[in-house]
Structures are given as structure tokens and as C-alpha cells.
Amino acid sequence: MVEDNKYLRAKKKVEELKAFYIHLIVFILVNTMFIIINVLTYEEAGHWWFVYPLMGWGIGLAAHGLSVSSFGIFGPNWEDRKIKEYMDKDTSDD
């Protein structure tokens, strides 16, 4: 039972990491396309507009990366510690 739970948590982490990598690849490809288009049409546009989607999407990508990472306040055992904390609190209330 414990091994099954470990496997399911590990599988979920791998799926989250895979989703982040796909997000990163799409970010790079699309923003590269935006940069190329902006360079080719700079005379018409008159400014470097590609920085706006790059910064906005970059913030979202950074947030996605932080949610997948195993550091910070939501470290690798945070969920287990919180579950134990609430379970201990629940038994003391009875």
C-alpha cells in the first residue's frame, strides 16, 4: 500500500515535470517566432513589441517552474507534513 502511494506520487511528479518541459519548448518556439517576425517587420511596427508576450508568458512559465520544483516552502515533503499535521490536529479534537 505504501509503495503504491509512493509510485502514484512519483508518477504525478513526472507528469507535472513533463508538462513543464512541453510548456518550456512551446515558449521557446513561439517566442523565437515572435522575435523573427518583429525583426522582419520592425520598420512597420517601429518598436520591439515581442518583449511584451515574452515577459508575460515568461512570468507564467516561471510560476509553472516553481510549482513543479522541489524547493521553497512547498518542498518535497511539504504535502506529507501538512497531512500529518491536520491528522494530528483532528485526533486531538475528539
Side-chain angles (χ1 to χ4, degrees):
M1 183 74 157
V2 173
E3 289 298 316
D4 290 340
N5 288 338
K6 284 184 179 181
Y7 173 78
L8 291 175
R9 283 196 305 263
K11 184 176 179 184
K12 182 181 177 197
K13 284 285 192 189
V14 169
E15 289 171 356
E16 290 171 354
L17 191 58
K18 180 181 172 186
F20 172 73
Y21 288 147
I22 291 169
H23 189 179
L24 178 63
I25 290 168
V26 172
F27 171 82
I28 292 168
L29 293 174
V30 170
N31 281 290
T32 300
M33 181 186 67
F34 285 163
I35 292 169
I36 292 169
I37 291 170
N38 197 185
V39 167
L40 294 175
T41 62
Y42 180 75
E43 288 184 16
E44 295 170 24
H47 69 286
W48 298 111
W49 54 262
F50 76 88
V51 295
Y52 303 115
L54 183 75
M55 288 188 310
W57 196 347
I59 291 169
L61 182 65
H64 190 176
L66 287 173
S67 74
V68 172
S69 71
S70 61
F71 63 90
I73 60 171
F74 300 113
N77 297 322
W78 177 84
E79 192 172 319
D80 291 335
R81 288 192 316 265
K82 284 311 238 182
I83 289 171
K84 184 176 180 339
E85 177 185 326
Y86 286 125
M87 287 174 63
D88 291 344
K89 197 182 266 188
D90 189 38
T91 57
S92 64
D93 290 341
D94 290 337

